[in-house]
Every structure is written in C-alpha cells, then in structure tokens.
Amino acid sequence: MTLGEVDMDDGTLPRIVVERLRDGTSGFELYTTRVAHESASSDGSTTKLIVELQDGHKIEACVMRHAKGRTTLCVSSQVGCKMGCTFCATGTLGELGNLASFEILEQLAHANRVAAVRNVVFMGMGEPLNNYDSVIEAIGVMTDDKAFALSASKITVSTVGVIPRMRTLTRDAPGTCLALSLHAPTQELRQKIVPTATAYKLDDLMRVLEEYLASGPKMKTMIEYCVLGGVNDDETCAEKLGELFRGKEEKIILNLIPLNPTDTPAGHVPPTPEAVRKMMEILMKKYGLFVTRRHTMGDDIAGACGQLALKTPGDPDMEDMMAPRRTTSAAKVRRAPPREERTSPTLVEASQPSSSSRAQRTEYALIGVSVLSAGMLAYALYSRRR
Ligand code: SF4
C-alpha cells in the first residue's frame, strides 16, 4: 500500500490534507523502513526480506508459507545480538541496537504484502527479550483488533533464556507462546555454546519454564536444540536431554535443528544425519518426548540468524502445535539499551514494571502507530490558522 492508497475519505481529515497526502506534497511517508531486497527460495515457499531502517542498518524478515496455506513471519527484534551464541552469525555482530516497536510492526506490514501472515515468530536477528519494551508494544499492536488483529496464541517469542523477562512475558503479553533455545542438556556444555548461560543457570531456567507451563492448563512450549556436529549430538546428550524433561512429556515439543553452517569463529560443523536420527530415537522411544527435526532450507537465500531454520512446506506448523489452544482475549531509531542493561555488562534482573508503566507503554504503542494521523492533524491545524 502506498500513502495515496490509504482510505482517507471518511471525513476525519480536511480535504486539503487529504489532497496533499495523496499528491505527495505533504512530506509524510507511510513507512520508516523500506524493503531493500526480496528473494524467494527455489521452491517458492520462503521469501526473505532485507529491510533497511532509517539509519541505513539492515535487518531480515522471513515469510514462510506452509503447505496448508498458513503463513508464518519470522521477525527480527534487534540489529545484531549481544548473546554471542557460538554457532550464530548474528551473534558475531554484537548488539548494534534495538528495533523500535514500529520497526518490528513494519516487518509485518511488508510481509503482508507478500502473503497474509497468520503466525509471527520472534526468531530473527536479536534476542527479543533484550528488547523487551519494544517487543511487548509490537505484540500489543499485532493483537489489537483495530490494527493487525492476530491471535496472541499465534505469536511466539523465542529466547535463549533471559530469565527475568521470561517471568514477566505471560503477564505483559498474555496468551503469547514462549520458546526456549536450549542447545545443551547440561550447564557445563550450555556455557560453551551459549555464553549467557553463565548468568542464567540451567537449573533456574528449568524452574522458570515450569512456572510458565504451570500458568495455564494447556500450556506448552517449544524447546529448540541446535544440533552441532561433535558437540551436543551424541547419545549421552540425548539421554541427559530426555532426563531433563522427564515428567513434562505432554508439555514439550523438542525441535532438533541440525546446524545450518555459518561462518563463525567457533567453526561448528553440521551433525551427521545418523547422529540426529539416533538422538530422535532415544528421545522419542525411551523418553516418550514429542520430537521434530527441523529441515533447514533456504540455502539459496541464506537465513537471518544461526538459530533461524526455515521449514519445508511439509514440516508441521510448530507455532500451531504449541499454541495453548485458548483464545485470549520517524525519529532516529537506534535506541540505547534499556537503562537496567546499560548499568551492567551482563543482563540483570529486570525491575517489575508497575501497572501504570505498562499502561504507559500501551499508550506509547498506540501513539507510535498513529503518528501519521497525528502529523496530519497538526498539519490541518496549521493550515486552518493560515
Ligand atoms: S542465536 Fe539468537 S540469541 Fe543467540 S546470538 Fe544468535 S540471535 Fe542472539
């Protein structure tokens, strides 16, 4: 949609404003971002959008069309990422900045031009829970009936394990699904793959996961496990993984993601198909877990993040599988990290936002998406005074 195509004929705006918006002399634009490049995978199921932000930084969003006609959008939440997972190309960039909520939303708007998006997963560039406020604001608008009207249960936030934010997510984005990128069954091994595991211990992570699963009778979660050849792909790892989730068989979807080769200093290699098959066999037959193997695709268009693995059309629609099956109810944009993160080189316990601050964030989100309308009204007032 262009600005000229926006329906402005309901009498809300003065005629002169509508005319200027339509003829391009208003100085306003519909988007702060633009699609710098668009590429489709050879089988046509996936479209990658390179989105350029106002300041020239680029991020990626992937539109994945499933065989049954549903479409999932994988959005980025940051430019780069500071979590430094050793298999991830994005992690080598460091954290260059947070996306504003409207920049996350504009990925959805651009994607809707490719196909009508029904599911959104925060699995692109960045750790979404390190850009918490913008992600919560964006989810608020995505699920707003007057905006994108997506179901909260169709939105998945994937984290590598930012414990304080995992605790507040169910409160601040009710009905949204949480996915955990685990990648290792023990604290010792996890620290080698996910450096931030030193701050957020596996025991604590499992505790907060239990809290999440206990927050509703039908809550499920997806555990993502990037399988690295010779690192976390042996039978011992499979056994320990099975033990870790003993008793949670009904609530866990374990998603094994064979490494999508990336050029990172750690030099990880993909696992052999036999190693992955053996892991699946142990986890499913001995431990009764529901396990999927995510087929990577998009070699021809490249993935956004070491963690981002594009599904083939025949794969199960993971976001649907773990949905709790209940309905619930232009400025410079590289913002500084939240204050509590600036005070420490590592992540710190998040302060609990008050209900008034949450209300304020919701207000800001609505202001953000209404900025064009506000500008137009200001222009109208200015015209009248003249
Ligand atoms: S896998 Fe995700 S959390 Fe880890 S470095 Fe990459 S983008 Fe960040």
Side-chain angles (χ1 to χ4, degrees):
M1 182 179 277
T2 65
L3 194 51
E5 293 168 334
V6 175
D7 181 8
M8 293 181 265
D9 294 326
D10 63 356
T12 307
L13 297 172
R15 187 176 48 78
I16 180 70
V17 175
V18 174
E19 283 173 7
R20 297 223 174 160
L21 287 168
R22 288 217 167 110
D23 67 18
T25 58
S26 67
F28 289 108
E29 293 181 10
L30 199 54
Y31 297 99
T32 66
T33 62
R34 71 178 188 96
V35 177
H37 186 70
E38 181 175 330
S39 53
S41 62
S42 51
D43 66 358
S45 66
T46 303
T47 301
K48 184 174 76 172
L49 305 177
I50 307 275
V51 177
E52 183 174 346
L53 311 177
Q54 280 184 112
D55 59 7
H57 281 102
K58 292 191 176 74
I59 54 160
E60 295 188 356
C62 277
V63 185
M64 294 166 279
R65 287 176 286 273
H66 303 290
K68 293 176 185 166
R70 293 187 292 271
T71 299
T72 295
L73 170 68
C74 178
V75 291
S76 293
S77 54
Q78 295 186 300
V79 183
C81 181
K82 69 178 178 184
M83 304 308 260
C85 302
T86 58
F87 57 84
C88 175
T90 305
T92 63
L93 298 173
E95 186 183 273
L96 302 177
N98 285 329
L99 297 190
S101 57
F102 58 83
E103 292 170 316
I104 298 170
L105 291 165
E106 286 186 24
Q107 293 173 64
L108 177 53
H110 291 311
N112 272 332
R113 189 178 44 74
V114 176
V117 172
R118 200 195 69 164
N119 297 335
V120 173
V121 293
F122 283 81
M123 295 184 185
M125 294 174 78
E127 162 55 62
L129 298 189
N130 280 354
N131 187 16
Y132 189 78
D133 289 353
S134 290
V135 167
I136 295 297
E137 285 172 6
I139 291 173
V141 178
M142 285 175 184
T143 54
D144 190 325
D145 286 344
K146 294 190 289 297
F148 292 95
L150 295 180
S151 165
S153 65
K154 304 297 182 193
I155 297 175
T156 299
V157 177
S158 174
T159 179
V160 81
V162 183
I163 289 176
R165 303 300 195 188
M166 289 171 72
R167 285 212 162 95
T168 54
L169 187 71
T170 45
R171 182 195 61 198
D172 295 336
T176 305
C177 301
L178 179 69
L180 172 65
S181 297
L182 189 69
H183 309 316
T186 65
Q187 173 65 21
E188 187 186 9
L189 182 56
R190 195 162 193 266
Q191 279 180 213
K192 292 178 182 164
I193 301 170
V194 181
T196 51
T198 53
Y200 297 123
K201 305 271 190 276
L202 184 60
D203 287 350
D204 297 331
L205 210 48
M206 293 306 292
R207 255 192 297 280
V208 77
L209 198 64
E210 276 173 23
E211 289 169 21
Y212 171 78
L213 293 172
S215 66
K218 294 181 178 175
M219 296 299 277
K220 286 188 176 185
T221 193
M222 188 200 300
I223 304 295
E224 295 160 317
Y225 190 99
C226 186
V227 190
L228 310 171
V231 177
N232 62 356
D233 64 340
D234 61 20
E235 294 178 27
T236 308
C237 284
E239 295 278 353
K240 288 181 176 167
L241 204 50
E243 291 295 340
L244 198 60
F245 294 112
R246 200 183 274 283
K248 300 185 184 66
E249 295 82 1
E250 301 298 316
K251 291 176 170 279
I252 296 292
I253 297 163
L254 185 56
N255 190 26
L256 300 184
I257 309 170
L259 177 70
N260 212 9
T262 51
D263 188 16
T264 58
H268 292 303
V269 295
T272 63
E274 176 55 23
V276 178
R277 191 199 61 73
K278 189 68 192 169
M279 285 189 85
M280 289 188 75
E281 187 181 306
I282 293 170
L283 290 162
M284 294 168 83
K285 290 190 178 161
K286 183 169 177 184
Y287 291 94
L289 286 165
F290 188 90
V291 186
T292 61
R293 176 190 189 279
R294 190 167 283 199
H295 296 278
T296 55
M297 58 173 288
D299 288 356
D300 48 343
I301 57 173
C305 160
Q307 191 178 351
L308 177 64
L310 308 177
K311 292 190 286 182
T312 59
D315 277 356
D317 192 340
M318 223 73 69
E319 296 74 32
D320 284 344
M321 288 162 60
M322 67 176 196
R325 279 186 247 121
R326 62 184 168 85
T327 50
T328 55
S329 36
K332 278 286 181 188
V333 292
R334 293 290 65 68
R335 303 191 313 188
R339 185 168 60 249
E340 61 270 31
E341 292 183 14
R342 290 201 300 273
T343 58
S344 168
T346 58
L347 299 167
V348 295
E349 290 288 316
S351 58
Q352 303 288 314
S354 64
S355 57
S356 62
S357 68
R358 288 198 302 279
Q360 199 174 38
R361 285 206 305 273
T362 304
E363 189 180 340
Y364 288 162
L366 291 173
I367 289 171
V369 293
S370 302
V371 66
L372 179 60
S373 303
M376 289 189 292
L377 287 172
Y379 184 83
L381 288 171
Y382 173 71
S383 298
R384 279 185 187 158
R385 287 187 63 185
R386 289 179 66 197

